[in-house]
Amino acid sequence: MRIAKGRWVHRMIKQAGTRAAHAEKELALYRFALENAYEGIVIADPQGIVLTASRAYASFLQIEMSDMIGKHVTEIIPNTRLHIVAETGKAEIADLQQIRGQWMIASRIPIWHNGELVAVVGKIMFQHIDRLFEMNSKYREIQSHLHYADAKSRDSSGAKYGLEHIVGVSEPIRKLKTMAAKVAKSDSTVLISGESGTGKELFAHAIHRESLRRFGPFVAVNCAAIPETLFESELFGYKEGSFTGAKRSGKKGKFSLAHRGTIFLDEVGELSLSQQVKLLRVLQEKEIEPVGGDRPEPIDVRVIAATNVDLGKLVREGKFRQDLYYRLHVVPLNIPPLRERRDDIPAILEALLLQLTKETGIAADGIDKDCERLLTGYGWPGNVREMRNVIERALYMMEGTRLSRSALPEELAAGSASGPAAFNRERAQADEFEARASTREWLHEDSAVQSPPASELSWKESMAEHEKSLLRGALARSAGDKQKAALLLGMSKSSFYQKCEQYDIRY
């Protein structure tokens, strides 16, 4: 069949060829844009088979693009949900996903054509969650410069750790991390308890970062370090001219700095009764009154508190207000000590060694089996904090490139002398000591710690002498070790030091 030039058939074929060339050029442009996109993008068919992806996505997965095409998404993308979106047809926007140990924000979008699902697009919005926090910090900085004269006082979230930084494989830690992630989604008050060095502040940081307030500030307060005379000005702030030496512009307190974020009250059990009253009012009314202010100011903060003492026991002894206890004890999280979760010790040792080799610049290939066995069997009364100090010291004492038994401190290298059995014996002695101390039985074992006759002293003086006797007796039984002496008396170390200083007790 001969087609005459210029006739309608010839014109139709020419137009079709032009459209095809234009479509091919447009397709090549789309393909070029996809492959060179900065964001990680992957496209799969309704069965979850990869059709194409961007080079950035392939590079992030550390895989060649040719090795991705034609494979099911579950074979190449850890923790993927693209195939699930293909089944449900429901988009998932800005979802958290962990790939190769990094948390990122990803979206998964189904593509429909004429009522039929034809593909699913996955897109990484932030290849690392810290990029989002960096962007938020920049936005807050720009906003503060534009809208606030006191921009310097405004800070971005101070939470440095997430749940991924909490190392542990034991059942108690897994349950605690699950509970922390669950409670983080609400604004309920959390009370974290546990011995010193177990990682209470780590959990507080992680709860904030998992919460809806994660873009707000995280303000940590050590309650034991605030003098009673400065308690109100530090926590609630003060107005201009409220007292001698006050800043001309006044000062915001910790609660104001934590507005729309989280305030972490560490060592809350060390607060005096008068301080407890002031804190209780803030928790009840959700408002503060700065020193020198003439009206209350509303605040919007989430409270996380922590303690290494038994608050319930302090309530029964009249040392902690019951109403404040119930305000704080809404969602309790109790972190067990290392000696009760020995399965976590190898993983924590590995993480600490990696961290400390970076900080100190000392290369270490690992830990000898004999050394690891000794470290795992030790009682760790100071928990992770003590373990970190031991590993850091061992790095400097190490000969060669592996930690060995000879690099460990003598008391730990002795093994049985400082192991879990000995620590359990110390705890048993502490329980016995506490039971005997309650009846003053031990006071008469040594004339050096006996009190003067009660008839010669007032009630207040008798109580002071009784406290001195308890302190001196505990120091004598612990051979001058103040940490052990505090343990014998069931006190926190800071309270023990304060009492010794109050009564000028030296050992």
Side-chain angles (χ1 to χ4, degrees), residues 483-502:
Q483 186 168 350
K484 288 184 180 179
L487 177 66
L488 290 173
L489 293 174
M491 301 171 66
S492 69
K493 189 167 67 175
S494 59
S495 296
F496 185 85
Y497 275 94
Q498 288 174 2
K499 284 293 183 182
C500 286
E501 185 176 350
Q502 177 184 343

Side-chain angles (χ1 to χ4, degrees), residues 12 18 28 53 182 209 249 259 282 304 320 330 344 397 405 416 433 455 467 481 491-492:
M12 186 173 65
T18 302
K182 187 175 181 180
R209 284 187 60 166
S249 59
H259 186 59
V282 175
I304 300 177
F320 201 86
V330 178
D344 293 335
M397 304 296 292
R405 186 181 184 125
S416 59
F433 179 81
S455 59
E467 284 190 343
D481 189 321
M491 301 171 66
S492 69

Side-chain angles (χ1 to χ4, degrees), residues 405-438:
R405 186 181 184 125
S406 61
L408 299 178
E410 291 182 6
E411 63 272 17
L412 198 147
S416 59
S418 301
F423 187 79
N424 290 335
R425 287 196 298 273
E426 288 181 4
R427 298 292 287 193
Q429 290 171 0
D431 293 340
E432 178 189 356
F433 179 81
E434 185 175 354
R436 296 173 65 196
S438 65

Side-chain angles (χ1 to χ4, degrees), residues 4-211:
K5 186 177 181 180
R7 296 296 181 93
W8 68 272
V9 176
H10 179 267
R11 290 196 304 270
M12 186 173 65
I13 294 174
K14 188 177 181 180
Q15 289 172 1
T18 302
R19 285 196 296 270
H22 180 73
E24 186 174 347
K25 183 179 180 181
E26 194 173 47
L27 180 62
L29 181 63
Y30 290 152
R31 185 178 291 113
F32 178 84
L34 171 65
E35 291 178 356
N36 293 277
Y38 174 77
E39 297 89 351
I41 300 173
V42 61
I43 302 176
D45 67 13
Q47 286 71 47
I49 304 300
V50 176
L51 298 175
T52 185
S54 66
R55 286 196 178 93
Y57 199 97
S59 176
F60 181 74
L61 292 177
Q62 299 178 5
I63 189 173
E64 295 293 331
M65 285 185 59
S66 57
D67 294 332
M68 296 178 62
I69 310 302
K71 290 186 178 179
H72 197 269
V73 291
T74 55
E75 295 180 43
I76 56 175
I77 308 174
N79 305 316
T80 184
R81 289 180 54 85
L82 273 180
H83 59 299
I84 297 175
V85 173
E87 292 175 2
T88 63
K90 295 181 179 179
E92 296 179 351
I93 307 298
D95 188 29
L96 281 175
Q97 181 177 353
Q98 189 179 37
I99 298 180
R100 295 188 176 276
Q102 295 187 26
W103 285 98
M104 62 199 64
I105 295 181
S107 293
R108 309 170 192 93
I109 305 167
I111 305 300
W112 299 87
H113 181 67
N114 293 332
E116 182 181 356
L117 182 71
V118 295
V120 180
V121 177
K123 180 179 178 182
I124 298 176
M125 298 171 64
F126 294 91
Q127 291 188 10
H128 198 289
I129 194 69
D130 287 343
R131 290 293 306 279
L132 178 60
F133 292 121
E134 289 172 9
M135 181 176 289
N136 174 66
S137 297
K138 290 179 181 177
Y139 167 75
R140 288 170 60 83
E141 183 179 351
I142 293 171
Q143 186 187 51
S144 63
H145 278 293
L146 290 174
H147 300 289
Y148 301 98
D150 58 340
K152 290 183 180 179
S153 68
R154 293 187 170 266
D155 194 11
S156 59
S157 173
K160 298 179 288 186
Y161 311 107
L163 288 173
E164 68 275 13
H165 293 101
I166 300 174
V167 180
V169 295
S170 65
E171 187 65 19
I173 286 298
R174 288 205 301 268
K175 287 183 177 179
L176 277 173
K177 291 174 73 171
T178 300
M179 186 62 181
K182 187 175 181 180
V183 73
K185 305 306 179 186
S186 72
D187 276 345
S188 298
T189 301
V190 180
L191 179 61
I192 307 173
S193 59
E195 293 180 7
S196 178
T198 50
K200 297 184 289 295
E201 186 165 353
L202 205 64
F203 269 92
H205 280 251
I207 290 172
H208 175 75
R209 284 187 60 166
E210 290 287 322
S211 74

Side-chain angles (χ1 to χ4, degrees), residues 214-271:
R214 57 184 173 272
F215 301 131
F218 177 87
V219 178
V221 180
N222 187 337
C223 296
I226 303 177
E228 187 156 357
T229 54
L230 299 178
F231 182 77
E232 287 183 90
S233 61
E234 284 294 315
L235 262 64
F236 312 140
Y238 58 81
K239 296 297 183 180
E240 177 183 358
S242 54
F243 55 86
T244 303
K247 289 183 179 180
R248 182 174 298 178
S249 59
K251 179 186 174 182
K252 288 188 175 182
K254 301 295 186 183
F255 274 93
S256 293
L257 293 174
H259 186 59
R260 294 183 179 173
T262 301
I263 189 167
F264 173 53
L265 303 175
D266 196 11
E267 296 195 55
V268 72
E270 301 299 320
L271 293 175

